Amino acid sequence: MSLAVFLKGVNVGGHRRVRPTELATQLKKYDVVNIGAAGTFVVRKPISQAKLRAELKRRLPFETEMMICRGSDILRLAATNPFAEEPADRSVMQFVTVLAQLPGSRASTPIVIPPTGDWEFRVLDHIDQFVIGVCRRQMKAIGHFGQLEKIFGCSGTTRSWSTILKLARILEERVDQRRRLSPSQSKASRIRRS
């Protein structure tokens, strides 16, 4: 089972620096792909979430929160196309906040901040551990991400929708590769390798 990893608060403003390509290389036995967004990876070989957390913790030079979800959850989210009704606009960022766990209760959506006047930040929906929304590309709008943790009662880290789609493409490539290999081809390739 493939996994998606989101490290919280790395490489922000020159602090808590991680070299994602080096980290992916150190974990190559798990076929880790660095997505390019700070602290975002696909792990394509099977590993438990607990073991993966331990491997990452051992290699990171500081403590950080890790949000890990199944690749199938990312593919399912991408397939829902949650921004289909939202007009594309360069002044607005479409985002997904990945929560550390499933929220204990379902928040009523949409959530609009501020509640009156011109909006700066909107939560459109949440699906499992994913909060889907849009925010204006303004510094004051970025401050609203912290409110999501209060609303949903757990920690989270945010990525752009384009990063989520990039994850989905890499995960889908892996699924397609597995589909192309029939059970007999897979067995034959294992025999050739031994």
Short mmCIF file of all heavy atoms in Angstrom, two decimals, residues 34-96:
data_model
loop_
_atom_site.label_atom_id
_atom_site.label_comp_id
_atom_site.label_asym_id
_atom_site.label_seq_id
_atom_site.Cartn_x
_atom_site.Cartn_y
_atom_site.Cartn_z
N ASN A 34 10.13 12.39 -3.80
CA ASN A 34 9.99 13.76 -3.31
C ASN A 34 9.11 14.52 -4.29
O ASN A 34 9.38 14.55 -5.49
CB ASN A 34 11.38 14.40 -3.21
CG ASN A 34 11.32 15.88 -2.94
OD1 ASN A 34 10.42 16.38 -2.31
ND2 ASN A 34 12.30 16.60 -3.46
N ILE A 35 8.05 15.13 -3.80
CA ILE A 35 7.11 15.83 -4.67
C ILE A 35 7.60 17.22 -5.07
O ILE A 35 7.16 17.78 -6.05
CB ILE A 35 5.72 15.92 -3.99
CG1 ILE A 35 5.19 14.52 -3.72
CG2 ILE A 35 4.72 16.70 -4.81
CD1 ILE A 35 5.12 13.64 -4.94
N GLY A 36 8.49 17.78 -4.29
CA GLY A 36 8.97 19.12 -4.61
C GLY A 36 8.40 20.18 -3.70
O GLY A 36 9.00 21.21 -3.48
N ALA A 37 7.21 19.94 -3.16
CA ALA A 37 6.66 20.85 -2.15
C ALA A 37 7.35 20.48 -0.83
O ALA A 37 7.54 19.30 -0.54
CB ALA A 37 5.15 20.66 -2.03
N ALA A 38 7.74 21.46 -0.07
CA ALA A 38 8.53 21.22 1.14
C ALA A 38 7.89 20.15 2.03
O ALA A 38 6.78 20.32 2.52
CB ALA A 38 8.70 22.51 1.93
N GLY A 39 8.60 19.04 2.18
CA GLY A 39 8.14 18.00 3.09
C GLY A 39 6.95 17.21 2.61
O GLY A 39 6.10 16.82 3.40
N THR A 40 6.88 16.93 1.31
CA THR A 40 5.77 16.14 0.76
C THR A 40 6.35 14.99 -0.06
O THR A 40 7.14 15.22 -0.97
CB THR A 40 4.85 17.02 -0.12
OG1 THR A 40 4.49 18.19 0.62
CG2 THR A 40 3.60 16.27 -0.52
N PHE A 41 5.95 13.77 0.28
CA PHE A 41 6.53 12.58 -0.34
C PHE A 41 5.46 11.54 -0.62
O PHE A 41 4.44 11.47 0.05
CB PHE A 41 7.55 11.93 0.60
CG PHE A 41 8.64 12.85 1.07
CD1 PHE A 41 8.50 13.58 2.24
CD2 PHE A 41 9.80 13.01 0.34
CE1 PHE A 41 9.49 14.44 2.69
CE2 PHE A 41 10.81 13.86 0.77
CZ PHE A 41 10.65 14.58 1.94
N VAL A 42 5.76 10.69 -1.61
CA VAL A 42 5.00 9.47 -1.85
C VAL A 42 5.92 8.32 -1.51
O VAL A 42 7.09 8.30 -1.92
CB VAL A 42 4.53 9.35 -3.33
CG1 VAL A 42 3.97 7.98 -3.61
CG2 VAL A 42 3.51 10.42 -3.65
N VAL A 43 5.41 7.36 -0.75
CA VAL A 43 6.17 6.16 -0.39
C VAL A 43 5.47 5.02 -1.12
O VAL A 43 4.34 4.65 -0.78
CB VAL A 43 6.16 5.94 1.14
CG1 VAL A 43 6.96 4.71 1.50
CG2 VAL A 43 6.70 7.18 1.85
N ARG A 44 6.15 4.45 -2.13
CA ARG A 44 5.47 3.51 -3.02
C ARG A 44 5.62 2.05 -2.63
O ARG A 44 4.87 1.22 -3.12
CB ARG A 44 5.94 3.74 -4.46
CG ARG A 44 5.60 5.16 -4.92
CD ARG A 44 5.72 5.36 -6.39
NE ARG A 44 7.10 5.35 -6.84
CZ ARG A 44 7.50 5.71 -8.05
NH1 ARG A 44 6.62 6.11 -8.94
NH2 ARG A 44 8.76 5.67 -8.39
N LYS A 45 6.58 1.72 -1.79
CA LYS A 45 6.71 0.33 -1.34
C LYS A 45 6.02 0.17 0.00
O LYS A 45 5.97 1.09 0.81
CB LYS A 45 8.18 -0.06 -1.25
CG LYS A 45 8.80 -0.23 -2.62
CD LYS A 45 9.99 -1.13 -2.57
CE LYS A 45 10.50 -1.33 -3.99
NZ LYS A 45 11.86 -1.80 -4.02
N PRO A 46 5.50 -1.02 0.26
CA PRO A 46 4.76 -1.23 1.51
C PRO A 46 5.62 -1.01 2.76
O PRO A 46 6.75 -1.51 2.85
CB PRO A 46 4.32 -2.70 1.43
CG PRO A 46 4.39 -3.05 -0.01
CD PRO A 46 5.50 -2.21 -0.60
N ILE A 47 5.08 -0.26 3.70
CA ILE A 47 5.68 -0.02 5.01
C ILE A 47 4.54 0.44 5.92
O ILE A 47 3.65 1.16 5.47
CB ILE A 47 6.83 1.02 4.95
CG1 ILE A 47 7.47 1.22 6.32
CG2 ILE A 47 6.35 2.33 4.36
CD1 ILE A 47 8.70 2.13 6.32
N SER A 48 4.57 0.04 7.15
CA SER A 48 3.52 0.48 8.08
C SER A 48 3.74 1.97 8.40
O SER A 48 4.87 2.46 8.34
CB SER A 48 3.55 -0.34 9.36
OG SER A 48 4.68 0.01 10.14
N GLN A 49 2.67 2.64 8.77
CA GLN A 49 2.79 4.05 9.13
C GLN A 49 3.70 4.22 10.35
O GLN A 49 4.50 5.16 10.40
CB GLN A 49 1.41 4.66 9.40
CG GLN A 49 0.62 4.85 8.13
CD GLN A 49 -0.61 5.71 8.33
OE1 GLN A 49 -0.68 6.53 9.24
NE2 GLN A 49 -1.60 5.54 7.47
N ALA A 50 3.61 3.30 11.31
CA ALA A 50 4.45 3.39 12.51
C ALA A 50 5.93 3.27 12.16
O ALA A 50 6.76 4.05 12.65
CB ALA A 50 4.04 2.32 13.52
N LYS A 51 6.25 2.32 11.30
CA LYS A 51 7.66 2.14 10.91
C LYS A 51 8.16 3.34 10.10
O LYS A 51 9.29 3.81 10.29
CB LYS A 51 7.84 0.85 10.12
CG LYS A 51 9.29 0.55 9.80
CD LYS A 51 9.47 -0.80 9.16
CE LYS A 51 10.95 -1.03 8.87
NZ LYS A 51 11.19 -2.31 8.20
N LEU A 52 7.31 3.86 9.22
CA LEU A 52 7.69 5.02 8.42
C LEU A 52 7.94 6.24 9.32
O LEU A 52 8.92 6.95 9.14
CB LEU A 52 6.60 5.33 7.38
CG LEU A 52 6.84 6.55 6.51
CD1 LEU A 52 8.15 6.43 5.72
CD2 LEU A 52 5.65 6.75 5.56
N ARG A 53 7.07 6.45 10.30
CA ARG A 53 7.28 7.55 11.25
C ARG A 53 8.63 7.42 11.95
O ARG A 53 9.37 8.39 12.10
CB ARG A 53 6.17 7.58 12.30
CG ARG A 53 4.90 8.18 11.82
CD ARG A 53 3.83 8.19 12.91
NE ARG A 53 2.53 8.43 12.34
CZ ARG A 53 2.08 9.61 11.98
NH1 ARG A 53 2.83 10.68 12.15
NH2 ARG A 53 0.89 9.75 11.46
N ALA A 54 8.95 6.20 12.37
CA ALA A 54 10.22 5.96 13.07
C ALA A 54 11.40 6.23 12.14
O ALA A 54 12.39 6.84 12.55
CB ALA A 54 10.26 4.53 13.60
N GLU A 55 11.31 5.79 10.89
CA GLU A 55 12.38 6.01 9.90
C GLU A 55 12.58 7.51 9.67
O GLU A 55 13.72 7.99 9.63
CB GLU A 55 12.05 5.32 8.58
CG GLU A 55 12.09 3.81 8.61
CD GLU A 55 13.47 3.26 8.36
OE1 GLU A 55 14.43 4.02 8.15
OE2 GLU A 55 13.59 2.02 8.38
N LEU A 56 11.50 8.25 9.51
CA LEU A 56 11.60 9.69 9.27
C LEU A 56 12.15 10.41 10.51
O LEU A 56 13.02 11.27 10.39
CB LEU A 56 10.23 10.26 8.90
CG LEU A 56 9.74 9.91 7.49
CD1 LEU A 56 8.25 10.21 7.36
CD2 LEU A 56 10.53 10.66 6.43
N LYS A 57 11.65 10.04 11.67
CA LYS A 57 12.09 10.68 12.91
C LYS A 57 13.60 10.51 13.11
O LYS A 57 14.30 11.43 13.53
CB LYS A 57 11.31 10.08 14.09
CG LYS A 57 11.51 10.82 15.37
CD LYS A 57 10.61 10.26 16.45
CE LYS A 57 10.76 11.08 17.71
NZ LYS A 57 9.86 10.65 18.76
N ARG A 58 14.08 9.33 12.77
CA ARG A 58 15.51 9.03 12.92
C ARG A 58 16.37 9.89 11.99
O ARG A 58 17.50 10.25 12.32
CB ARG A 58 15.73 7.54 12.63
CG ARG A 58 17.03 6.97 13.07
CD ARG A 58 17.00 5.45 13.12
NE ARG A 58 16.53 4.80 11.92
CZ ARG A 58 17.30 4.47 10.90
NH1 ARG A 58 18.58 4.77 10.92
NH2 ARG A 58 16.81 3.85 9.86
N ARG A 59 15.83 10.26 10.85
CA ARG A 59 16.63 10.97 9.84
C ARG A 59 16.45 12.49 9.88
O ARG A 59 17.27 13.21 9.32
CB ARG A 59 16.27 10.45 8.46
CG ARG A 59 16.79 9.05 8.22
CD ARG A 59 16.32 8.49 6.90
NE ARG A 59 17.03 7.28 6.54
CZ ARG A 59 16.74 6.08 7.01
NH1 ARG A 59 15.76 5.92 7.87
NH2 ARG A 59 17.44 5.03 6.63
N LEU A 60 15.39 12.97 10.50
CA LEU A 60 15.16 14.42 10.54
C LEU A 60 15.99 15.05 11.66
O LEU A 60 16.08 14.49 12.75
CB LEU A 60 13.68 14.72 10.75
CG LEU A 60 12.78 14.40 9.56
CD1 LEU A 60 11.31 14.48 9.95
CD2 LEU A 60 13.08 15.34 8.40
N PRO A 61 16.57 16.23 11.41
CA PRO A 61 17.42 16.88 12.41
C PRO A 61 16.65 17.60 13.52
O PRO A 61 17.25 18.21 14.39
CB PRO A 61 18.24 17.87 11.58
CG PRO A 61 17.37 18.19 10.41
CD PRO A 61 16.58 16.93 10.12
N PHE A 62 15.32 17.53 13.49
CA PHE A 62 14.49 18.19 14.50
C PHE A 62 13.16 17.46 14.57
O PHE A 62 12.80 16.68 13.69
CB PHE A 62 14.26 19.67 14.14
CG PHE A 62 13.82 19.87 12.72
CD1 PHE A 62 12.50 19.68 12.35
CD2 PHE A 62 14.74 20.24 11.74
CE1 PHE A 62 12.09 19.84 11.05
CE2 PHE A 62 14.34 20.42 10.43
CZ PHE A 62 13.01 20.22 10.08
N GLU A 63 12.41 17.73 15.64
CA GLU A 63 11.07 17.16 15.80
C GLU A 63 10.10 17.90 14.88
O GLU A 63 10.15 19.13 14.79
CB GLU A 63 10.60 17.32 17.25
CG GLU A 63 11.32 16.43 18.23
CD GLU A 63 10.87 14.98 18.16
OE1 GLU A 63 9.69 14.71 17.91
OE2 GLU A 63 11.74 14.11 18.34
N THR A 64 9.26 17.17 14.22
CA THR A 64 8.20 17.78 13.42
C THR A 64 7.01 16.86 13.38
O THR A 64 7.15 15.64 13.56
CB THR A 64 8.69 18.10 11.99
OG1 THR A 64 7.69 18.89 11.34
CG2 THR A 64 8.93 16.86 11.17
N GLU A 65 5.85 17.43 13.16
CA GLU A 65 4.65 16.62 13.02
C GLU A 65 4.60 16.05 11.62
O GLU A 65 5.00 16.71 10.65
CB GLU A 65 3.41 17.46 13.28
CG GLU A 65 3.27 17.87 14.72
CD GLU A 65 1.98 18.63 14.95
OE1 GLU A 65 0.92 17.97 15.04
OE2 GLU A 65 2.06 19.86 15.01
N MET A 66 4.09 14.82 11.52
CA MET A 66 3.96 14.14 10.24
C MET A 66 2.52 13.73 10.04
O MET A 66 1.95 13.07 10.90
CB MET A 66 4.83 12.88 10.22
CG MET A 66 6.28 13.11 10.43
SD MET A 66 7.11 11.51 10.67
CE MET A 66 8.39 12.03 11.79
N MET A 67 1.96 14.12 8.94
CA MET A 67 0.63 13.66 8.57
C MET A 67 0.84 12.61 7.49
O MET A 67 1.47 12.89 6.46
CB MET A 67 -0.24 14.81 8.03
CG MET A 67 -0.73 15.78 9.08
SD MET A 67 0.55 16.43 10.14
CE MET A 67 -0.28 17.68 11.00
N ILE A 68 0.34 11.42 7.73
CA ILE A 68 0.51 10.32 6.79
C ILE A 68 -0.87 9.77 6.45
O ILE A 68 -1.71 9.58 7.34
CB ILE A 68 1.40 9.20 7.38
CG1 ILE A 68 2.78 9.76 7.74
CG2 ILE A 68 1.52 8.03 6.39
CD1 ILE A 68 3.69 8.77 8.44
N CYS A 69 -1.11 9.55 5.17
CA CYS A 69 -2.37 8.94 4.76
C CYS A 69 -2.11 7.93 3.65
O CYS A 69 -1.04 7.92 3.04
CB CYS A 69 -3.38 10.00 4.33
SG CYS A 69 -2.86 11.01 2.96
N ARG A 70 -3.08 7.10 3.42
CA ARG A 70 -2.95 6.09 2.37
C ARG A 70 -3.02 6.76 1.00
O ARG A 70 -3.76 7.73 0.81
CB ARG A 70 -4.07 5.07 2.49
CG ARG A 70 -4.00 4.24 3.77
CD ARG A 70 -5.14 3.27 3.82
NE ARG A 70 -6.38 4.02 3.65
CZ ARG A 70 -7.54 3.67 4.18
NH1 ARG A 70 -7.63 2.60 4.91
NH2 ARG A 70 -8.61 4.40 3.98
N GLY A 71 -2.27 6.21 0.08
CA GLY A 71 -2.31 6.72 -1.29
C GLY A 71 -3.70 6.64 -1.88
O GLY A 71 -4.12 7.52 -2.64
N SER A 72 -4.44 5.59 -1.53
CA SER A 72 -5.80 5.43 -2.05
C SER A 72 -6.70 6.58 -1.60
O SER A 72 -7.61 6.98 -2.33
CB SER A 72 -6.38 4.08 -1.62
OG SER A 72 -6.39 3.97 -0.21
N ASP A 73 -6.44 7.14 -0.41
CA ASP A 73 -7.22 8.29 0.05
C ASP A 73 -6.96 9.53 -0.81
O ASP A 73 -7.87 10.29 -1.11
CB ASP A 73 -6.92 8.60 1.52
CG ASP A 73 -7.39 7.49 2.46
OD1 ASP A 73 -8.28 6.71 2.06
OD2 ASP A 73 -6.85 7.41 3.57
N ILE A 74 -5.69 9.71 -1.20
CA ILE A 74 -5.34 10.84 -2.08
C ILE A 74 -6.00 10.66 -3.45
O ILE A 74 -6.56 11.61 -4.01
CB ILE A 74 -3.80 10.95 -2.24
CG1 ILE A 74 -3.14 11.29 -0.91
CG2 ILE A 74 -3.42 11.96 -3.33
CD1 ILE A 74 -3.37 12.69 -0.40
N LEU A 75 -5.96 9.45 -3.98
CA LEU A 75 -6.58 9.19 -5.29
C LEU A 75 -8.08 9.43 -5.24
O LEU A 75 -8.66 10.02 -6.17
CB LEU A 75 -6.28 7.76 -5.75
CG LEU A 75 -4.82 7.50 -6.13
CD1 LEU A 75 -4.60 6.02 -6.37
CD2 LEU A 75 -4.44 8.32 -7.37
N ARG A 76 -8.71 9.01 -4.16
CA ARG A 76 -10.15 9.21 -3.99
C ARG A 76 -10.48 10.71 -3.90
O ARG A 76 -11.43 11.19 -4.52
CB ARG A 76 -10.63 8.46 -2.75
CG ARG A 76 -12.08 8.10 -2.76
CD ARG A 76 -12.55 7.12 -1.70
NE ARG A 76 -11.73 6.97 -0.52
CZ ARG A 76 -10.86 5.97 -0.32
NH1 ARG A 76 -10.70 5.03 -1.24
NH2 ARG A 76 -10.15 5.89 0.79
N LEU A 77 -9.67 11.45 -3.15
CA LEU A 77 -9.88 12.90 -3.03
C LEU A 77 -9.74 13.58 -4.39
O LEU A 77 -10.57 14.40 -4.78
CB LEU A 77 -8.88 13.50 -2.04
CG LEU A 77 -8.92 15.03 -1.90
CD1 LEU A 77 -10.26 15.48 -1.32
CD2 LEU A 77 -7.77 15.50 -1.03
N ALA A 78 -8.69 13.23 -5.14
CA ALA A 78 -8.47 13.84 -6.45
C ALA A 78 -9.63 13.54 -7.39
O ALA A 78 -10.03 14.40 -8.19
CB ALA A 78 -7.15 13.35 -7.04
N ALA A 79 -10.19 12.35 -7.29
CA ALA A 79 -11.30 11.96 -8.16
C ALA A 79 -12.57 12.74 -7.87
O ALA A 79 -13.42 12.90 -8.75
CB ALA A 79 -11.56 10.46 -8.03
N THR A 80 -12.71 13.27 -6.64
CA THR A 80 -13.93 14.02 -6.30
C THR A 80 -13.96 15.39 -6.96
O THR A 80 -15.01 16.00 -7.04
CB THR A 80 -14.08 14.22 -4.77
OG1 THR A 80 -13.03 15.07 -4.30
CG2 THR A 80 -14.11 12.91 -4.03
N ASN A 81 -12.79 15.89 -7.37
CA ASN A 81 -12.69 17.21 -8.01
C ASN A 81 -13.44 18.27 -7.20
O ASN A 81 -14.40 18.87 -7.67
CB ASN A 81 -13.20 17.14 -9.44
CG ASN A 81 -12.82 18.37 -10.25
OD1 ASN A 81 -12.02 19.20 -9.80
ND2 ASN A 81 -13.38 18.49 -11.42
N PRO A 82 -13.01 18.51 -5.94
CA PRO A 82 -13.77 19.39 -5.05
C PRO A 82 -13.82 20.85 -5.45
O PRO A 82 -14.62 21.61 -4.92
CB PRO A 82 -13.04 19.22 -3.71
CG PRO A 82 -11.65 18.84 -4.07
CD PRO A 82 -11.79 18.01 -5.32
N PHE A 83 -12.99 21.25 -6.42
CA PHE A 83 -12.97 22.66 -6.83
C PHE A 83 -13.68 22.88 -8.16
O PHE A 83 -13.54 23.93 -8.77
CB PHE A 83 -11.52 23.16 -6.91
CG PHE A 83 -10.83 23.14 -5.57
CD1 PHE A 83 -9.94 22.14 -5.26
CD2 PHE A 83 -11.11 24.11 -4.61
CE1 PHE A 83 -9.31 22.11 -4.02
CE2 PHE A 83 -10.50 24.08 -3.37
CZ PHE A 83 -9.59 23.08 -3.07
N ALA A 84 -14.44 21.90 -8.59
CA ALA A 84 -15.12 22.00 -9.89
C ALA A 84 -16.04 23.22 -9.97
O ALA A 84 -16.17 23.84 -11.02
CB ALA A 84 -15.91 20.72 -10.17
N GLU A 85 -16.66 23.59 -8.85
CA GLU A 85 -17.59 24.71 -8.83
C GLU A 85 -16.89 26.05 -8.53
O GLU A 85 -17.54 27.09 -8.51
CB GLU A 85 -18.68 24.47 -7.78
CG GLU A 85 -19.48 23.21 -7.99
CD GLU A 85 -20.26 23.21 -9.30
OE1 GLU A 85 -20.88 24.24 -9.61
OE2 GLU A 85 -20.21 22.20 -10.01
N GLU A 86 -15.59 26.01 -8.26
CA GLU A 86 -14.85 27.22 -7.92
C GLU A 86 -14.14 27.76 -9.16
O GLU A 86 -13.34 27.05 -9.77
CB GLU A 86 -13.79 26.92 -6.84
CG GLU A 86 -14.37 26.69 -5.48
CD GLU A 86 -15.02 27.94 -4.91
OE1 GLU A 86 -14.41 29.03 -4.94
OE2 GLU A 86 -16.15 27.82 -4.43
N PRO A 87 -14.41 28.98 -9.55
CA PRO A 87 -13.72 29.53 -10.72
C PRO A 87 -12.21 29.68 -10.43
O PRO A 87 -11.82 30.04 -9.33
CB PRO A 87 -14.36 30.90 -10.93
CG PRO A 87 -15.03 31.23 -9.63
CD PRO A 87 -15.33 29.93 -8.94
N ALA A 88 -11.41 29.32 -11.41
CA ALA A 88 -9.95 29.46 -11.27
C ALA A 88 -9.60 30.94 -11.32
O ALA A 88 -10.08 31.67 -12.18
CB ALA A 88 -9.24 28.70 -12.39
N ASP A 89 -8.76 31.36 -10.40
CA ASP A 89 -8.41 32.76 -10.28
C ASP A 89 -7.02 32.84 -9.67
O ASP A 89 -6.78 32.25 -8.62
CB ASP A 89 -9.45 33.46 -9.39
CG ASP A 89 -9.24 34.96 -9.29
OD1 ASP A 89 -8.12 35.44 -9.53
OD2 ASP A 89 -10.22 35.65 -8.96
N ARG A 90 -6.11 33.57 -10.30
CA ARG A 90 -4.74 33.67 -9.79
C ARG A 90 -4.64 34.34 -8.43
O ARG A 90 -3.67 34.17 -7.71
CB ARG A 90 -3.86 34.43 -10.79
CG ARG A 90 -3.54 33.63 -12.03
CD ARG A 90 -2.62 34.45 -12.94
NE ARG A 90 -2.19 33.68 -14.05
CZ ARG A 90 -1.05 32.98 -14.09
NH1 ARG A 90 -0.27 32.97 -13.06
NH2 ARG A 90 -0.72 32.31 -15.16
N SER A 91 -5.66 35.08 -8.05
CA SER A 91 -5.61 35.76 -6.77
C SER A 91 -6.09 34.87 -5.61
O SER A 91 -6.06 35.27 -4.46
CB SER A 91 -6.48 37.04 -6.80
OG SER A 91 -7.85 36.70 -6.92
N VAL A 92 -6.50 33.65 -5.96
CA VAL A 92 -7.04 32.72 -4.96
C VAL A 92 -6.26 31.41 -5.01
O VAL A 92 -5.98 30.89 -6.08
CB VAL A 92 -8.55 32.46 -5.23
CG1 VAL A 92 -9.09 31.38 -4.30
CG2 VAL A 92 -9.34 33.74 -5.10
N MET A 93 -5.91 30.91 -3.83
CA MET A 93 -5.24 29.60 -3.74
C MET A 93 -6.26 28.55 -3.33
O MET A 93 -6.99 28.72 -2.35
CB MET A 93 -4.12 29.65 -2.70
CG MET A 93 -3.39 28.31 -2.60
SD MET A 93 -2.05 28.33 -1.39
CE MET A 93 -2.85 27.57 0.01
N GLN A 94 -6.31 27.47 -4.10
CA GLN A 94 -7.10 26.31 -3.72
C GLN A 94 -6.20 25.42 -2.86
O GLN A 94 -5.09 25.09 -3.26
CB GLN A 94 -7.56 25.55 -4.96
CG GLN A 94 -8.44 26.39 -5.87
CD GLN A 94 -8.76 25.71 -7.18
OE1 GLN A 94 -8.00 24.89 -7.68
NE2 GLN A 94 -9.89 26.07 -7.76
N PHE A 95 -6.69 25.04 -1.67
CA PHE A 95 -5.83 24.29 -0.76
C PHE A 95 -6.53 23.08 -0.17
O PHE A 95 -7.75 22.98 -0.17
CB PHE A 95 -5.33 25.20 0.38
CG PHE A 95 -6.40 25.62 1.36
CD1 PHE A 95 -6.77 24.79 2.41
CD2 PHE A 95 -7.03 26.84 1.22
CE1 PHE A 95 -7.75 25.18 3.31
CE2 PHE A 95 -8.02 27.25 2.12
CZ PHE A 95 -8.38 26.41 3.17
N VAL A 96 -5.69 22.18 0.33
CA VAL A 96 -6.14 21.04 1.12
C VAL A 96 -5.29 21.02 2.37
O VAL A 96 -4.07 21.01 2.29
CB VAL A 96 -6.00 19.71 0.35
CG1 VAL A 96 -6.34 18.52 1.24
CG2 VAL A 96 -6.86 19.71 -0.91
#
